Amino acid sequence: MNIDIIVKNIGKLITSKDDKKPKTKEDLNKVDVIENAYIAISDGKFKEIGTGEDYKKLISENTKVHDANGLVVVPGFIDSHTHLVHGGSRENEFLKKIEGVPYIDILKQGGGILSTVKSTRNATEEELYNKAKYSLDKMLELGVTTVEAKSGYGLEIETEIKQLKVAKELDKNHAVDIVHTFLGAHAIPLEYKEDHKPFIDIIVEQMMPKVKALGLAEFCDVFCEDAVFTIEETEYILTKAKEMGYKLKIHADEIVSLGGAELAAKLNCTSADHLMAASEDGMKMLAKSNTIANILPGTSFNLNKAYANARKMIELGVPIALSSDYNPGSCPSENLQFVMQLGCLGLKMTPNEVLNAVTINAAYSIDRQDKIGTIEVGKYADFVLLNASNLEYIMYHFGINHVNKVYKKGILVVDNC
Ligand code: NIG
Ligand code: FE
């Protein structure tokens, strides 16, 4: 056996076992803890996981042996909902936000998403690339090894494609893997405010086929919300997207309870995201579907809104993922560790539930469960060493970066020692 790298002397290796379905109910709270463990890697994948000194038998001439110095090791974190590529920032709206002006009112006045649309249209590909790369570097330093990235700040074909191309380029050049989502239906341009139909026709008849033909996006997403896209419009767009071969996502019930969770279950979306205002019926439908509830507590924190009812969803058997929603408006932070801490402090999830939510369940929410999300033989060797001796410490000591080292596909890409 040709082993490239062995990481020995792992104090606690904490991971779930992938039992071929997302974690729900009690299973969401279960992880395996292997003490005094080692990981052996070959060709960027986990080849063997064992304990004690057994790794010695695997050492050959070219094997490198790294020492984890007794630290905790977990699977690489997966940030399965971000608006990574965009121009500009929105600190000019920050005072309004502090004064309590609602997010949707800022949007209705032509600010919010529409202000970022202007900055993104005006930015060159290079500017967008450099800004997104800076964010991706931050995410990786914080232990994130896979990121989903949406378009949605063009609202016209040229800029949507520009954003998606930048994300593709970053995926090629950066250690972090990127999963691509088309979100042309992210806001209604002011000129279509009274009549959405012509804009929806442009999305469905021009943007979606073009993006698909260029191979720029795997998923299609819609912001289904009061004053944005209605339930009927969302269903129409996503039904067409499915016919074109997209997998589906919805920004569902973020601010107003419109029935987005119900629609996501009905359309068999891969994920329904946000769900702060989801109805109990919607949660019950999600529990019966294959759709992952992707909860974004950084957004609740930043918009000063009630957190999604994660405990109710867990009780009902809904599979939950957590992600950042990194964007310049409702969550201007790349910090998934802070989001994990909010998972405990805001959503009242346990540290084990949170770990599963940002690893294996997050992998399901972007359809990557066969490749990532657990430390198991055959999966990509994406893992993180944390400056801690147990998982609870990571959630309890909030607001700092606990990462000691990050390995992506078996390569040491962050070393904070
Ligand atoms: O997921 N809700 C819609 N989209 C983003 C916010 C985007 C923005 O404000 O720029 C979200 O919260
Ligand atoms: Fe979002």
Side-chain angles (χ1 to χ4, degrees), residues 305-320:
K305 292 262 175 208
Y307 288 93
N309 196 345
R311 288 264 50 104
K312 185 80 199 173
M313 290 188 219
I314 293 168
E315 182 195 316
L316 292 170
V318 180
I320 286 181

Side-chain angles (χ1 to χ4, degrees), residues 30-47:
K30 279 188 204 139
V31 292
D32 283 356
V33 180
I34 308 172
E35 301 207 356
N36 190 19
Y38 67 82
I39 288 169
I41 299 157
S42 130
D43 287 333
K45 293 188 174 157
F46 296 119
K47 193 76 180 177

Side-chain angles (χ1 to χ4, degrees), residues 81 83 90 103 113 153 186 223 251 254 274 299 325 327-330:
H81 180 140
H83 303 254
R90 306 227 290 271
Y103 175 79
I113 296 174
Y153 293 114
H186 190 201
F223 186 14
H251 278 66
E254 176 177 353
H274 283 292
T299 303
D325 196 21
N327 73 73
S330 64

Side-chain angles (χ1 to χ4, degrees), residues 332-366:
S333 171
E334 294 89 345
N335 193 338
L336 192 67
Q337 283 180 51
F338 180 55
V339 167
M340 291 161 68
Q341 290 146 2
L342 289 177
C344 294
L345 296 166
L347 298 170
K348 309 296 175 204
M349 292 168 70
T350 66
N352 286 353
E353 288 174 338
V354 165
L355 182 67
N356 281 324
V358 294
T359 56
I360 185 62
N361 278 9
Y364 273 94
S365 79
I366 47 171

Side-chain angles (χ1 to χ4, degrees), residues 35 54 90 104 106 137 144 171 173 182 189 208 212 225 245-246 265 276 281 298 313 333 348-349 353-354 366 402:
E35 301 207 356
D54 286 359
R90 306 227 290 271
I104 285 291
I106 296 177
D137 289 345
V144 173
D171 183 34
N173 301 340
F182 170 67
M208 282 172 14
K212 196 76 216 163
E225 185 60 59
Y246 288 96
M276 279 134 80
D281 276 354
M313 290 188 219
S333 171
K348 309 296 175 204
M349 292 168 70
E353 288 174 338
V354 165
I366 47 171
H402 292 281

